[in-house]
Amino acid sequence: MSTGYVWEEIYGWHNTGNWAGAVPAGLNAQPYQHFESAESKQRLASAIEVSGLAKELTKISVVPATIDQITMVHDSLYIERIRKDSESTFGGDAGDGLSPFGTGAYEIALMAVGGAIAAFDAVASGEVDNAYALVRPPGHHARPETGMGFCIFGNAGIAIKNGMKKFGLKKVAVVDWDVHHGNGTQEIFYADPNVLTISLHQDQLFPPKSGYAKDQGIDAGQGFAINIPLPAGSGNGAYLEALKEIVFPALEKFAPEIIVVCCGFDAAMTDPLGRMIVTASGYREMTRELMKIADKVCGGKIVMTHEGGYSPTYVPFCGLAVIETLANTTTEMKDVLAEFWDALPDQKVQEWQVERIKNIKSQLTFLSDN
Ligand SMILES: [Zn+2]
């Protein structure tokens, strides 16, 4: 059993400036750090080294994605704008005014896509059993003609398009458990029945008016997009319930050749942007259960690409839990807060959450068709 791992130091150099969270610094807000700073990612990479986990992983080398690969998803004018703005000493913005970047962001974003591609290819080719690509900037909000939500290029979407062509794959499934709707990945494959996209997210958090249960794809892709908008406050029990009630039956029915997880840790306790309460043990359990389904449907082939997660102190525990599970190991680095946070009464799935999940399931044509 081997688990591939992608991390490049340059990912930590993606410069999102001195914003105060999501507010531009200036007379309105004292300069601080943008929410999407390097901290949570670099600290996870560091924990992977210090815990000894890195020694049990297969490091995957990364080369920048090519323009041909990026244009499988993105508009040429958009790519060129990012390249030009990224040359400037002032940097630019990916497109929504919330996603600033500094000099060199273009090259770093190409490396992030390259990391997702390398991880996908390593799993698809059988070089490793599964893989975790700890990449930055994130990608699941990036749309074909513009970046948004701190994302520049659609890392996972491009890796899937590229990998399906390269390996002649017919069916790939995406499970996005970042707390925000995976709108970019969904849009890329919205009319495509060969890629099933499933997003679990906090209802209406970001982007606004996106990720409704009724949004299920168009044309030939009708039914092949699944959205599971969970209520704020959902914890380990609610997430597992949604996985078991909707995600796993959908995966079994679709029978993908490979499962790509857009892995965000912003549904975790203490995240400054999400209002969910998932803990490191919750992520461990979610990964363990997903691996059982992957064993059943696609020989265990799972590729995870890192998305959001903005708690610099808690993301490392959540990331370790997921990657340890993928690698079928544990380290001595423990989440000591589990004693408190796993015991919260709201970690158990609540009756009203069960009802909400049932209601979402009842709307899904993918699961109702025979
Ligand atoms: Zn997110």
Side-chain angles (χ1 to χ4, degrees):
M1 167 118 197
S2 62
T3 295
Y5 171 55
V6 166
W7 166 255
E8 295 288 327
E9 284 296 325
I10 195 79
Y11 296 150
W13 292 28
H14 171 50
N15 179 7
T16 49
N18 61 355
W19 284 38
V23 179
L27 296 180
N28 194 45
Q30 183 181 350
Y32 183 55
Q33 279 186 327
H34 192 280
F35 278 129
E36 206 297 291
S37 77
E39 284 292 305
S40 57
K41 277 68 57 168
Q42 278 183 325
R43 289 170 58 93
L44 171 54
S46 188
I48 289 167
E49 292 296 331
V50 173
S51 65
L53 179 57
K55 292 193 183 76
E56 301 191 50
L57 304 174
T58 303
K59 187 81 193 283
I60 297 174
S61 58
V62 177
V63 294
T66 64
I67 296 298
D68 283 349
Q69 288 168 329
I70 304 291
T71 49
M72 292 178 109
V73 162
H74 294 286
D75 181 83
S76 310
L77 286 174
Y78 168 63
I79 300 169
E80 187 53 18
R81 178 178 76 72
I82 297 294
R83 190 188 67 76
K84 279 210 174 117
D85 288 354
S86 151
E87 276 180 355
S88 146
T89 46
F90 301 106
D93 185 281
D96 62 353
L98 296 171
S99 313
F101 60 74
T103 310
Y106 174 72
E107 285 77 10
I108 300 172
L110 292 183
M111 280 295 280
V113 180
I117 287 173
F120 187 101
D121 289 4
V123 173
S125 68
E127 186 188 325
V128 294
D129 296 304
N130 54 37
Y132 195 94
L134 177 49
V135 294
R136 177 171 180 265
H140 74 148
H141 294 305
R143 304 180 60 196
E145 75 286 2
T146 183
M148 65 181 285
F150 320 156
C151 302
I152 297 179
F153 298 136
N155 304 327
I158 298 167
I160 292 168
K161 283 249 185 192
N162 182 69
M164 288 180 85
K165 194 173 164 202
K166 182 170 175 182
F167 297 98
L169 302 177
K170 298 279 181 286
K171 287 196 283 183
V172 174
V174 179
V175 177
D176 185 324
W177 63 42
D178 185 281
V179 81
H180 304 103
H181 178 222
N183 65 298
T185 320
Q186 172 179 288
E187 184 173 341
I188 293 163
F189 301 110
Y190 210 45
D192 187 348
N194 300 313
V195 179
L196 175 71
T197 61
I198 307 174
S199 177
L200 303 108
H201 44 266
Q202 185 183 326
D203 192 10
Q204 294 305 295
L205 187 60
F206 185 86
K209 298 183 180 164
S210 182
Y212 297 107
K214 66 176 172 55
D215 300 339
Q216 298 178 30
I218 47 163
D219 303 331
Q222 176 60 44
F224 294 88
I226 292 179
N227 283 296
I228 309 172
L230 296 169
S234 295
N236 297 342
Y239 269 82
L240 282 165
E241 178 76 11
L243 287 177
K244 287 176 181 170
E245 270 299 303
I246 301 175
V247 179
F248 297 161
L251 290 174
E252 289 201 58
K253 182 166 183 180
F254 185 66
E257 290 153 281
I258 190 162
I259 298 169
V260 174
V261 177
C262 287
C263 183
F265 294 113
D266 37 14
M269 292 288 296
T270 78
D271 190 90
L273 291 177
R275 285 296 170 267
M276 302 304 210
I277 58 169
V278 178
T279 66
S281 340
Y283 284 109
R284 192 182 298 276
E285 187 69 12
M286 286 156 64
T287 305
R288 194 181 291 137
E289 294 300 316
L290 181 71
M291 286 171 76
K292 286 185 198 161
I293 297 297
D295 281 342
K296 229 170 163 179
V297 303
C298 57
K301 289 185 186 297
I302 297 177
V303 183
M304 296 203 182
T305 63
H306 195 88
E307 297 290 350
Y310 307 100
S311 167
T313 54
Y314 200 55
V315 163
F317 290 113
C318 298
L320 277 181
V322 165
I323 303 168
E324 284 176 10
T325 308
L326 286 175
N328 194 24
T329 188
T330 51
T331 70
E332 295 301 309
M333 206 172 268
K334 300 289 178 222
D335 172 16
V336 295
L337 294 166
E339 179 189 345
F340 305 97
W341 291 346
D342 286 347
L344 291 172
D346 286 320
Q347 293 296 6
K348 290 198 179 74
V349 65
Q350 308 295 304
E351 200 45 49
W352 61 277
Q353 292 169 332
V354 171
E355 287 307 314
R356 181 80 71 95
I357 290 164
K358 268 193 192 142
N359 177 274
I360 293 166
K361 186 178 184 180
S362 71
Q363 298 177 53
L364 300 173
T365 57
F366 184 77
L367 287 176
S368 63
D369 293 343
N370 286 312

